Amino acid sequence: VQLQASGGGLVQAGGSLRLSCAASGPIFSIGTMGWYRQLPGKQRELVANINKDDSTRYADSVKGRFTISRDNAKNTVYLQMGSLKPEDTAVYYCSVEAVAFGGTWFDDYWGQGTQVTVSS
């Protein structure tokens, strides 16, 4: 199972970006999909995740500004980021729980990371 993330870049404070992450490969089933971010020298932290039933969870710091969604037909998760702040600057990683064909339970898969930089 491979994850391909895209959509990062440089944006001014107050602007918007949309991240996408598509899962591909021998996928039997996908469970929770999510986005994490990591600042230099800090631990990776959850930004938002979305379950198969479309229930969501957000970090307090992004509530009301970011929206996570998924397209199950495309095995893709999105993160719509609005009202961006300089402190949102980080490398963003997507994560997917998936059962591969031939597997017996969910494993965690990670994308390669995409840089988001918000200038003040």
Side-chain angles (χ1 to χ4, degrees):
V1 178
Q2 297 85 37
L3 303 185
Q4 181 66 48
S6 61
L10 173 63
V11 65
Q12 286 190 330
S16 300
L17 279 176
R18 188 192 195 208
L19 305 183
S20 300
C21 177
S24 62
I27 299 169
F28 176 74
S29 179
I30 291 181
T32 301
M33 308 177 85
W35 289 94
Y36 292 72
R37 65 188 180 188
Q38 187 167 22
L39 280 69
K42 293 196 174 182
Q43 285 190 330
R44 196 172 295 185
E45 62 177 14
L46 174 70
V47 177
N49 63 23
I50 182 167
N51 296 313
K52 210 168 182 178
D53 62 0
D54 285 340
S55 59
T56 58
R57 179 169 64 148
Y58 294 92
D60 288 342
S61 59
V62 307
K63 282 181 181 176
R65 300 189 297 121
F66 291 9
T67 302
I68 190 170
S69 61
R70 62 192 284 169
D71 184 334
N72 293 324
K74 296 181 179 179
N75 290 338
T76 299
V77 60
Y78 305 97
L79 185 68
Q80 180 67 47
M81 304 185 292
S83 301
L84 282 161
K85 305 175 181 179
E87 51 263 44
D88 294 318
T89 296
V91 178
Y92 284 70
Y93 296 89
C94 58
S95 176
V96 168
E97 294 179 346
V99 181
F101 279 106
T104 58
W105 194 242
F106 288 99
D107 286 319
D108 292 329
Y109 297 90
W110 292 87
Q112 80 280 16
T114 183
Q115 177 70 45
V116 171
T117 302
V118 184
S119 62
S120 57

